[in-house]
Amino acid sequence: MARTRLVAGNWKMNKTAAEAKAFFEAFNAMPQTAGSEVVFCVPFTSLETSVAMTEGTKIGIGAQNIHFENSGAFTGEVSAEMLKATGAQWVVLGHSERREYFAETDDTVNKKIKKALEYGITPIVCCGESLYQRENGITFAWIASQLRLGYVGISAEDAKKTVIAYEPIWAIGTGKVATDDQAQEVCAFIRAELAAMYDEETAQSIRILYGGSVSPDSAAGLFSMPDIDGGLVGGASLVAEKFIKIVNA
Ligand code: PGA
């Protein structure tokens, strides 16, 4: 099954709206090889500017979190409906930084996936092991648990509308990228796990991205692996010249 390559930038807590505008002025002018879908997941405060700056292009815009309730007394939070109203279509969910610093759990990730799907927003669901877990041989058990709990009560039809990002925590922001084989091994495991949770056809249609220190140098090798359908790119997505090289890798 042909899966369209997806390269998603995760800006994390970077760029004001003015900086986002300047970024897209530069990025939109750069020649892009056909074949990859491109998405930027930006801070809430840059959503409207980013949506406006990419109107009429094929670039998608998303956020990096939503709340799982519709509205109410959740100080500081943003709902799926609010996100949708900005024109954004994507959201990163369950990023390891949110799990570590903001008490995100498989249960809240599960509720957020359901809420995003209810609003027609495509979730990019993150999973990944720490170095301690890898060194102690529980990478696969850990990822299986994140997937199975994250997707509780989600039908095959809905699962197909999601994207999964495998991001080994030890590779995020460290410059220590997983080798092509290490990344492929876990992405193939994720696909096998999806086949066990759902069926082969569902597993084959879900895009699985690799994330963790993806750079213009490492992108082509990683993206050529059979179960890696693109990347979730942090640091290198902040600089238009670097990110376009990854998109065109
Ligand atoms: P990085 O971040 O590319 O800066 O390692 C990836 C991510 O956290 O999504």
Short mmCIF file of all heavy atoms in Angstrom, two decimals, residues 40 145 159:
data_model
loop_
_atom_site.label_atom_id
_atom_site.label_comp_id
_atom_site.label_asym_id
_atom_site.label_seq_id
_atom_site.Cartn_x
_atom_site.Cartn_y
_atom_site.Cartn_z
N PHE A 40 3.30 21.83 9.79
CA PHE A 40 4.01 22.48 10.90
C PHE A 40 3.10 22.52 12.12
O PHE A 40 1.98 23.02 12.04
CB PHE A 40 4.39 23.92 10.54
CG PHE A 40 5.48 24.01 9.51
CD1 PHE A 40 5.17 24.07 8.16
CD2 PHE A 40 6.82 24.00 9.89
CE1 PHE A 40 6.17 24.14 7.20
CE2 PHE A 40 7.83 24.07 8.94
CZ PHE A 40 7.51 24.13 7.59
N SER A 145 2.63 -1.19 25.03
CA SER A 145 1.73 -0.70 26.06
C SER A 145 1.23 0.71 25.72
O SER A 145 0.03 1.01 25.84
CB SER A 145 2.47 -0.75 27.40
OG SER A 145 1.85 0.07 28.33
N ALA A 159 -8.63 4.66 13.59
CA ALA A 159 -7.17 4.51 13.72
C ALA A 159 -6.47 4.89 12.42
O ALA A 159 -5.39 5.47 12.41
CB ALA A 159 -6.81 3.09 14.13
#
